[in-house]
Amino acid sequence: MIKPLKLAVVGHTNVGKTSLLRTLTRDRDFGEVSHRPSTTRHVEGARLSVAGSALLELYDTPGLEDAIALLAHLEQLERPGERLDGPARLARFLDGSEARQRFEQEAKVLRQLLASDAGLYVIDAREPVLAKYKDELAVLADCGKPLLPILNFSASPSQREAEWRDALARLGLHALVCFDTVAPPQDGERRLYESLALLLERARPQLQQLIADHEEQAAARHQAGARLIAELLLDCAACRRSVATQAAQEQAEIAALHQAVRQREQQCVEALLRLYAFHPDDASAGELPLLDGRWGDDLFNPETLRQLGIRVGSGMAAGAAAGAGVDLLVGGLSLGAATVLGALAGGGLQTVRSYGGRLLGKLQGRRELSVDDPVLRLLALRQRQLLAALGARGHAATSAIRLDNPQDKSWREDKLPEPLRKARAHPEWSSLNPGARLEQAERQTQVERLSGELAAAPARDSEQR
């Protein structure tokens, strides 16, 4: 049985130790994060497991508050003629009364580091290199445990990475990792664990397991997120509402469609947040413009005819064509009465059962309201933006992701993907329509096809604000 690697997360007050734990464990609720100093007062632990086997134990510790005074106190503990090494000097300190009084917080940190295999020393990279930090490192070095400095907030414009690298090298700490807990780099965890493996060679196998599991889980989340977006887009593309031509009723139906699509988008947002273990308030979407709706003429598009198993030039299509000729002779409108009646007659009983209501609606002057192509494009852009932002978001982040109207030429200018064009002719594929049949094999095939396209395409212009 593999013994889990124990890591103490240590550092000055309010540098992001708890935030690091939140991001590594993907637990937004771990500990308490605050701008107030000394938020963490006790040691808290978390465990990372793969296939039921615990590989890593992480311990969040209180912030070091007075390392300058503690270092001076430790230097006074040696008796004349003694030359204690670091651990022996700390053992004497921890047995004394000062460890239970004045330096109680520091003692908790040191006890945990002594009981661990290594320490992660978290640094706020925006801070200047001050004497107190050098004294902290001197005190921690007495534990005799490997230390890996973590430069937090390294994505900030005010970071001082070069200064910290130079200062740490002067102290003999040449291995360090830049890991912004709010926006961690894509390969941040890999680099962190690989750096630990250099310090703790015996732990390399379990650290490699963690790396492989992390990357596998990330890929699975991305694929699952793409499927959620594909379901949303197919639902909206296939959505169809029959509406009378009276202005008041048309506007009411447009408003109802708008609300239905907006709620369906919000369901997708919430599902993506749950998938990535974030809270419902971690993302908010701006108003979704629905324009004036889309008046569809999809009854006679090729996909509808293929769906009914009718060859162009016979049956329903031939009847519709003949009726259209009559309409033209008598000066009728496109898709007029003769066209509709001819289609019904040519299509036979199966057509009447499946599409008679829609065709007769046309005859009666009703229109079919569906979602504009530009809105489908915007839904795709916004959800892909969210998926990319969640993949790059640390669980220490506190500001919400704002979904507005991102620009992406491929989705704004190219043809809609084939699965969405097919969905236009399949109202039964939409959960927003009565009598939806979401389990249909063809629908599932198109969901898989579209989700594959969404997962493979890079989400450009994903901006977190």
Side-chain angles (χ1 to χ4, degrees), residues 95-310:
D95 285 339
S97 60
E98 290 293 288
R100 296 184 294 274
Q101 298 173 13
R102 181 183 176 188
F103 299 113
E104 180 185 12
Q105 292 300 104
E106 285 78 5
K108 292 176 183 177
V109 178
L110 295 171
R111 285 193 180 96
Q112 185 55 60
L113 182 54
L114 287 166
S116 300
D117 298 298
L120 302 179
Y121 180 70
V122 182
I123 298 166
D124 185 341
R126 301 168 299 184
E127 290 287 307
V129 181
L130 302 176
K132 61 182 180 181
Y133 301 125
K134 296 178 181 180
D135 286 350
E136 285 175 3
L137 287 165
V139 170
L140 294 171
D142 274 358
C143 293
K145 302 289 183 175
L147 274 181
L148 178 64
I150 307 290
L151 293 184
N152 192 15
F153 305 111
S154 53
S156 169
S158 58
Q159 53 85 11
R160 301 168 181 261
E161 180 183 339
E163 295 176 32
W164 276 104
R165 284 186 178 276
D166 182 64
L168 292 167
R170 288 171 176 269
L171 295 172
L173 295 169
H174 298 276
L176 61 84
V177 175
C178 291
F179 192 95
D180 193 297
T181 58
V182 173
Q186 188 174 10
D187 62 343
E189 288 184 52
R190 167 182 281 276
R191 289 193 283 113
L192 192 158
Y193 293 140
E194 285 178 343
S195 297
L196 275 173
L198 293 174
L199 299 177
L200 298 163
E201 185 61 33
R202 66 171 180 79
R204 181 177 292 277
Q206 62 215 74
L207 291 170
Q208 289 294 339
Q209 270 189 275
L210 278 173
I211 291 171
D213 183 69
H214 165 69
E215 294 178 351
E216 181 181 330
Q217 293 297 327
R221 279 192 298 272
H222 185 74
Q223 290 285 346
R227 184 179 178 88
L228 288 170
I229 298 171
E231 291 274 4
L232 163 70
L233 295 176
L234 249 72
D235 265 353
C236 293
C239 180
R240 191 177 298 279
R241 301 287 171 88
S242 179
V243 56
T245 53
Q246 290 137 4
Q249 291 189 32
E250 287 180 8
Q251 291 305 313
E253 286 296 331
I254 289 173
L257 178 60
H258 189 160
Q259 182 64 14
V261 173
R262 181 66 186 86
Q263 289 176 349
R264 182 63 184 84
E265 184 192 28
Q266 186 60 34
Q267 290 173 8
C268 184
V269 169
E270 292 170 0
L272 286 169
L273 289 169
R274 287 194 300 272
L275 177 65
Y276 280 82
F278 288 105
H279 287 184
D281 58 357
D282 280 327
S284 60
E287 185 61 21
L288 181 70
L290 203 64
L291 306 181
D292 292 324
R294 177 179 179 273
W295 303 108
D297 264 339
D298 292 333
L299 283 171
F300 295 100
N301 72 20
E303 175 57 27
T304 300
L305 300 179
R306 281 195 297 271
Q307 179 191 356
L308 293 173
I310 300 168

Side-chain angles (χ1 to χ4, degrees), residues 380-397:
L381 287 168
R382 285 178 14 156
Q383 297 311 304
R384 290 174 65 235
Q385 177 196 30
L386 176 59
L387 182 61
L390 291 174
R393 181 179 176 87
H395 284 71

